Amino acid sequence: MLKNALKYISFIILISMISCAKRGSITGGLKDTLAPVLVSSFPKNYSTNFTGNTITLNFDEYIKLKNTNKQLIISPPFKNEPIITPTSVSKFIKIEIRDTLQPNTTYSLNFGQAIQDNNEGNALNQFKYIFSTGPYIDSLKLNGKIKDSYEKYVDNFVSVMLYEVNDKFKDSTIYKEFPRYITNTLDSMRTFQFENLKAGKYLLVALKDKGSNNKFNPKDDKIGFLKQYITIPTDSVYELELFKEVLPLKAFKPIQASGNRLLLPYEGKQNFKNDKPKIVLKNGNDILETIVTQFPKKDSLQVWYKPLKADSLAMEVSKENYTKKFSFKIKALKKDTLNIKAVQNGVINFRERFTLETETPLVKFDKSKIKLVNKDSTAVDFTTEYDEFDQKLYVDFKKEPLEKYNFTFFPGALTDFYEKSNDTLSFKLSTKEVEDYGNLILNLQNVKRFPIIVEITNKKGDNVLASEYSKGETKIVFNLLVPEEFTVRIIYDDNKNKIYDTGNFLKKTYSEEVFYYQKGIDVRSNWDVDQSIDLSVPFNPEVEKKEDVKKQKQAEKKRKAF
């Protein structure tokens, strides 16, 4: 019995020890939320009369560098990137300067979010190491904000630059030289701030610098600028609008795409639809008949020509003051043939135009060979419009609700550039009820001037869904819309050409003014939305973010209640 009792007591003690061990086990403590701390630097931060080429920064814990190529902003910028070591985890950073430093100049190395602790990734936010090659640290500041002249949202990582206006300054400086000072909006801000500036006159420029070379490349970069030079010190807050310039036409050597079609690549987004370049295609001294169209979604024109036997052709491209000549070999390749497809298949919405896209350009239309009937086999009147540049045939007719339509294109209704005609084509369409759509009435207030282009787009603003042109009317009606949340964009069409026009740095012109309504407008089925819009209230993306969060919370609340 004594043995059994001892065994029982030992078992109880063992269980108690295990339980105690579990209750007292180490969990690791609270999560580290503190950023690294700079404990020393050599030379000291904010040193003057700096003459060395090496900087060492020592921290209180192991740190790592993340996205230094984007986060580190050096102002004035170095011509040669500094060497930063080590690239592995360490308690120090060594910066080796490979430039000849300018005299009497304050330099700032802003690490943004690049310096982080090794364990939790806590960033030492906007840490700056500052030194001067002169006897004092410059201390003036400049503040501003960035917006996009056309897009709803502005890009991340926008560089903002100050060029010193002196005897050497020219407009071409921004294409060739580094700025005097530079800062960056990084990935979370739409505002910018310069610090440690010296007094003087400057040109203020913003760049979405695709090449990351601190120079303006119009082919790739967006730019924003102020026409007037600014004088520092100043208490003004400046706003810069980014835009993409329309480059002058530059054509490249034609590429043979088929036995009857050439591609002409070009540089620069051009409004060719209303103002195509003159293109002359020659076989020896003979000028060939051609049709010029847009190559879909590419910066290339299609030059259609009749098949011929030749080893080479010549082409001359001209537009305004630009002329370019080419000569090139051609081969016997397979020829493009007539192929027709409908954009709509099945349901067609009331605001849509029935559209046919053609593989080859059309030249003849015989309306007597096109038949449109409804479900009762009653003929429906229609009109046609051909967009040669985009190779689209539009057929317009009055659409009735809950109706079925049958299009028949009999042989010979459509003839292309190569005298090929269609076989019998049949397309069936149907409409919905009027109640399946919504109406939007916009009442515009405080319009600065006319004419204006009023567009409704998808929520992001990157797809125009409907558009109206107003020369003075402030009540704009969009009927029979497919239900969706819309964004309203309004363009002040100052040159009255009915399209948005961008700016140009050398010509010192800004883009046409664009207004975005602050809130998305939700248009629902069988609903009329009457919306007043005050054009004196500028768009603020932060307000929109708060509205989106509010809507998400309301939707989540409804979902849980359901």
Side-chain angles (χ1 to χ4, degrees), residues 392-423:
K392 292 182 179 181
L393 176 67
Y394 298 105
V395 184
D396 296 302
F397 60 98
K398 185 179 179 181
K399 304 174 190 70
E400 300 294 342
L402 288 177
E403 185 61 89
K404 296 184 183 297
Y405 298 95
N406 190 0
F407 267 109
T408 305
F409 292 76
F410 294 104
L414 309 174
T415 304
D416 73 0
F417 182 53
Y418 304 103
E419 299 180 359
K420 300 295 183 182
S421 298
N422 62 288
D423 295 326

Side-chain angles (χ1 to χ4, degrees), residues 439-450:
N439 301 320
L440 174 59
I441 301 97
L442 302 179
N443 297 291
L444 307 182
Q445 302 169 355
N446 296 313
V447 181
K448 295 180 182 180
R449 57 195 178 275
F450 289 93

Side-chain angles (χ1 to χ4, degrees), residues 323-352:
T323 301
K324 184 73 174 179
K325 295 181 179 181
F326 302 98
S327 59
F328 48 92
K329 301 281 187 181
I330 61 169
K331 302 176 182 178
L333 300 180
K334 184 179 178 180
K335 302 175 183 62
D336 294 297
T337 57
L338 180 61
N339 185 29
I340 302 169
K341 64 179 180 179
V343 172
Q344 294 86 4
N345 182 21
V347 174
I348 185 169
N349 296 311
F350 288 103
R351 296 184 66 90
E352 291 180 318

Side-chain angles (χ1 to χ4, degrees), residues 7 21 48 205 270 281 302 321 346 368 462 481 492 536:
K7 287 181 180 179
T48 56
V205 170
Q270 305 285 331
L281 186 64
Q302 300 181 112
N321 297 323
S368 67
D462 57 4
L481 296 171
Y492 287 96
S536 66

Side-chain angles (χ1 to χ4, degrees), residues 280-320:
V280 178
L281 186 64
K282 288 185 176 182
N283 178 21
N285 294 323
D286 297 331
I287 296 177
L288 304 179
E289 183 182 3
T290 59
I291 289 180
V292 177
T293 68
Q294 179 67 48
F295 188 55
K297 299 179 182 180
K298 299 288 184 181
D299 289 344
S300 294
L301 295 175
Q302 300 181 112
V303 182
W304 303 86
Y305 62 95
K306 300 287 180 69
L308 75 164
K309 291 184 178 181
D311 295 327
S312 63
L313 297 175
M315 181 185 292
E316 182 175 319
V317 183
S318 59
K319 190 174 187 289
E320 298 172 350

Side-chain angles (χ1 to χ4, degrees), residues 49-55 74 76-80 97-107 109 131-134 180:
N49 298 309
F50 184 97
T51 57
N53 65 351
T54 302
I55 300 165
I74 302 174
F78 294 152
K79 292 183 179 179
N80 301 299
I97 300 171
R98 299 189 296 156
D99 272 35
T100 300
L101 299 177
Q102 302 175 44
N104 299 314
T105 299
T106 298
Y107 284 86
L109 283 71
F131 65 89
S132 174
T133 56
R180 175 68 177 185

Side-chain angles (χ1 to χ4, degrees), residues 545-561:
K545 285 181 182 178
K546 290 179 182 179
E547 286 291 326
D548 285 344
V549 171
K550 183 178 177 181
K551 287 181 181 179
Q552 288 173 5
K553 288 182 178 179
Q554 290 173 344
E556 182 65 16
K557 188 176 180 181
K558 288 181 180 179
R559 186 188 67 79
K560 289 181 178 179

